[in-house]
Amino acid sequence: MSEAFIVGAVRTPVGRRKGALSGVHPADLGAHALRALLERTGADPGAVDDVYFGCVSQIGAQTGNVARTAWLSAGLPQHVPGTTIDRQCGSSQQAVHFAAQAVGSGAADLVVAGGVEVMSLVPIASPMTVGEQAGMGSPYAGDGWRERFGDQEVSQFRGAELIAEKWGVSRADMEEFALTSHRRALAAQADGAFDDEITPAFGLTADEGPRADTTLEKMAGLKTLTEDGRLTAAVSSQISDGAAALLIASEEAVRRHGLTPLARVHTMAVVGSDPIHMLTGPIPATEKVLDRAGLSIGDIDLVEINEAFASVVLAWQKEIGPDPERVNAFGGAIALGHPLGATGARLMTTLVHQLLRTGGRYGLQTMCEGGGMANATVLERL
């Protein structure tokens, strides 16, 4: 297997629900990230072998293979193909994995991996809800599913509540975590930590999500998502709009095109987990990727774990035992937002740039995914 190098990583700012990016067509938002990626790297777009894009809610403007429509909307060569990936919230992290695997196997030399989601336009779970309303059925209504799991509720919200119960994570614990996410994101913005990774888009120059006025007192006044639950909107990821893209290259492509490697994809793993708890996958995924890499959590300089819900990260921390100061050190999805299909590439972009900025050697990225799955990736800064 040859090495797979990240030679470029860029993202749009993440827009709030109904915010500055809410009126942008998903293909145009993805196209913006693609153009910025190629401009920054200086790579010849005609030399790209394939484009892998994550997108979760593939309906309406986000259907028709948005990897392809975004590439063409960017005015890029039509001979370059593209495919769209749905591994739920990990879709664009999986896009990076597929790109690295294609390069590592010798099947490709230069691959774009990224993702896009405009949740203001296409709400979460739209393909399922619209399909059910049109009489197309539910994904959880088949005989085999019911024989195995019955008719119990299957949702990320229930999964996050079950995790909080199982790992003894209190509402107060989650609110403290959420406040830290906002404070870290605001500090990173003030310090210019995101400047190198962001390409301003459609008039937006910075992430809209972080809230300077968030307090524990305000969080404590919110209603829980369920009557007897612990979760509130404040400890959950924000509904968001955004796009991100990375360029993955072989050693030969680096040499031939004069590219500059930023990091190498050191190790990858993906796992399945309980689909009812749904969001516990980062725990076994982290264990698997560290074992494959021959590393311990103490070797990892920076961690980006998606803050789908505070309970997910806090349970992961209890099991894995990282230094909390190295985990989401620049804020996470509770503050910065979670544009579903773009978040994996957004996290990877942040991880690459912050390793370069801080001088860390190893970075770990992991995220929970619908259906009970998780990806994990170890990067090594070059």
Side-chain angles (χ1 to χ4, degrees):
M1 294 285 288
S2 15
E3 301 279 13
F5 298 104
I6 297 173
V7 297
V10 65
R11 67 179 182 91
T12 68
V14 177
R16 278 189 189 180
R17 181 175 180 265
K18 303 304 180 185
L21 300 180
S22 61
V24 181
H25 193 286
D28 291 330
L29 191 58
H32 184 81
L34 289 168
R35 281 193 297 265
L37 176 71
L38 293 165
E39 287 169 5
R40 290 188 180 198
T41 59
D44 174 9
V48 173
D49 292 302
D50 210 345
V51 179
Y52 302 149
F53 244 45
C55 186
V56 176
S57 295
Q58 295 181 40
I59 192 170
Q62 291 181 172
T63 193
N65 187 5
V66 73
R68 178 68 171 162
T69 59
W71 182 265
L72 294 177
S73 296
L76 297 167
Q78 65 182 8
H79 71 264
V80 177
T83 192
T84 304
I85 297 160
D86 174 10
R87 199 188 283 280
Q88 299 293 280
C89 294
S91 295
S92 54
Q93 185 174 2
Q94 184 62 59
V96 174
H97 281 204
F98 283 154
Q101 288 161 358
V103 166
S105 69
D109 282 315
L110 206 56
V111 181
V112 170
V116 65
E117 201 94 20
V118 180
M119 299 177 73
S120 296
L121 175 66
V122 185
I124 187 172
S126 288
M128 181 169 65
T129 56
V130 172
E132 287 179 343
Q133 291 165 4
M136 299 178 188
S138 163
Y140 309 119
D143 292 341
W145 182 276
R146 286 185 170 178
E147 286 173 10
R148 188 166 184 177
F149 300 109
D151 292 322
Q152 62 185 307
E153 177 187 348
V154 182
S155 78
Q156 59 176 329
F157 305 105
R158 184 185 180 208
E161 287 282 7
L162 291 172
I163 289 169
E165 292 172 15
K166 181 175 179 179
W167 274 273
V169 177
S170 70
R171 175 173 173 172
D173 293 335
M174 291 189 281
E175 289 171 347
E176 288 277 3
F177 180 86
L179 183 62
T180 297
S181 183
H182 282 282
R183 286 178 173 172
R184 288 179 173 181
L186 289 164
Q189 285 183 327
D191 195 34
F194 299 133
D195 291 355
D196 288 344
E197 66 189 62
I198 286 179
T199 175
F202 302 93
L204 186 61
T205 60
D207 300 309
E208 289 186 300
R211 295 186 173 96
D213 62 348
T214 295
T215 65
L216 292 176
E217 291 73 24
K218 287 184 177 180
M219 291 184 193
L222 295 177
K223 289 184 178 181
T224 54
L225 300 181
T226 58
E227 187 175 346
D228 298 321
R230 308 180 192 191
L231 269 71
T232 67
V235 302
S236 310
S237 56
Q238 295 187 40
I239 294 170
S240 309
D241 310 317
L246 300 95
L247 188 59
I248 314 299
S250 67
E251 187 173 0
E252 171 60 21
V254 167
R255 183 195 61 76
R256 187 186 323 131
H257 299 287
L259 303 171
T260 302
L262 308 177
R264 75 180 180 104
V265 180
H266 187 285
T267 312
M268 300 172 288
V270 62
V271 302
S273 61
D274 176 7
I276 304 303
H277 279 76
M278 191 177 288
L279 311 176
T280 59
I283 296 168
T286 297
E287 293 169 340
K288 185 174 184 178
V289 81
L290 290 177
D291 181 63
R292 281 185 174 176
L295 299 171
S296 71
I297 193 63
D299 296 318
I300 302 299
D301 297 291
L302 291 175
V303 176
E304 288 290 333
I305 172 172
N306 191 38
E307 294 174 2
F309 299 91
S311 58
V312 172
V313 183
L314 291 171
W316 175 87
Q317 288 188 161
K318 286 189 175 189
E319 292 292 330
I320 302 299
D323 177 352
E325 296 301 314
R326 299 183 182 188
V327 178
N328 297 358
F330 310 93
I334 289 173
L336 294 167
H338 179 19
L340 303 174
T343 295
R346 200 286 291 172
L347 292 177
M348 190 76 71
T349 296
T350 295
L351 187 57
V352 169
H353 284 277
Q354 299 312 329
L355 285 172
L356 292 169
R357 185 170 173 271
T358 62
R361 180 178 180 183
Y362 292 115
L364 167 69
Q365 176 182 329
T366 189
M367 55 200 306
C368 57
E369 299 157 1
M373 298 178 290
N375 284 70
T377 317
V378 172
L379 300 183
E380 184 177 13
R381 178 186 60 84
L382 298 175

